[in-house]
Amino acid sequence: MATRRYDPDRRDRIIDATLAVIAEGGVAGTSHRRVADHAGVPLGSMTYHFTSMDELLREAFTRFATRLSERFAARLEAATDLDALATAVVHLVHDELTTGADDLVLTLELYTLAARQPAFRQITHDWMRRSREVLERLVDARTAYELDALIEGLFIHISLDPTPRDRAVTRDAVRRILSL
């Protein structure tokens, strides 16, 4: 009789492997077998830890959105006034959010699922709410909404555009929303 291997981090490795597999081949290219191979776990671990692919995808995308929210908050919470907020947003958009192709692919894959399935829409809703809460430390709710949408749009545009975008254009757009 085979003994069970104690592996308390297995579930976490599976979730992280899911994000890596999605980044490589999209949600459509994600399977239990590919995730198990990437995580280095037996295929049976997949159904032991997750009842379905949807549950695994929800867990993975929730982790992804939470990680990005934490990075967003860490960058913006240091701002103590609107000028510092504008500078932090420019840095966030040009240096932090656009540094990894995986973040872009994962974001767009999540948006696609959210457009089709309410369970994934809740993940994006919670993500946006957390972002606006960070911004609302220094601005009103409407401005936080507008600035969050600008950040999201700039992240996508800058990430997909082969021509490097001028930080001054971003700074001007942010300053306009902040009425600076």
Side-chain angles (χ1 to χ4, degrees):
M1 189 158 154
T3 58
R4 251 185 167 188
R5 190 174 136 219
Y6 179 68
D7 188 358
D9 299 326
R10 183 175 288 185
R11 188 173 196 283
D12 282 334
R13 278 201 330 277
I14 292 170
I15 293 170
D16 288 337
T18 302
L19 292 171
V21 169
I22 293 168
E24 290 170 6
V27 169
T30 301
S31 67
H32 286 289
R33 183 173 305 285
R34 286 193 68 211
V35 172
D37 287 346
H38 197 281
V41 301
L43 185 58
S45 291
M46 302 302 294
T47 55
Y48 176 80
H49 290 287
F50 303 95
T51 59
S52 66
M53 181 57 76
D54 269 359
E55 180 188 3
L56 177 58
L57 292 173
R58 281 193 309 274
E59 292 273 345
F61 279 121
T62 297
R63 177 171 292 178
F64 169 71
T66 300
R67 284 180 181 165
L68 255 58
S69 291
E70 289 168 355
R71 282 178 29 207
F72 184 93
R75 169 58 55 194
L76 299 184
E77 285 177 346
T80 56
D81 60 29
L82 295 183
D83 283 323
L85 178 60
T87 299
V89 167
V90 171
H91 181 76
L92 185 72
V93 167
H94 284 269
D95 301 322
E96 289 188 36
L97 295 177
T98 56
T99 57
D102 287 0
D103 287 350
L104 174 65
V105 170
L106 290 168
T107 298
L108 296 177
E109 289 284 338
L110 174 56
Y111 287 169
T112 300
L113 281 174
R116 292 187 178 118
Q117 298 181 39
F120 292 95
R121 195 167 303 134
Q122 186 62 48
I123 295 169
T124 60
H125 172 76
D126 292 344
W127 181 7
M128 289 182 240
R129 179 188 40 76
R130 287 189 303 267
S131 297
R132 288 190 306 267
E133 286 172 355
V134 170
L135 293 167
E136 286 175 9
R137 287 182 324 95
L138 295 172
V139 298
D140 62 84
R142 179 180 174 172
T143 303
Y145 177 83
E146 292 170 352
L147 187 54
D148 188 42
L150 177 69
I151 292 166
E152 203 74 25
L154 286 170
F155 157 64
I156 292 169
H157 282 245
I158 290 169
S159 295
L160 294 174
D161 195 334
T163 305
R165 294 288 114 196
D166 187 350
R167 296 170 81 88
V169 173
T170 301
R171 187 175 302 107
D172 289 346
V174 171
R175 291 179 67 80
R176 252 182 294 185
I177 287 176
L178 295 176
S179 299
L180 294 176

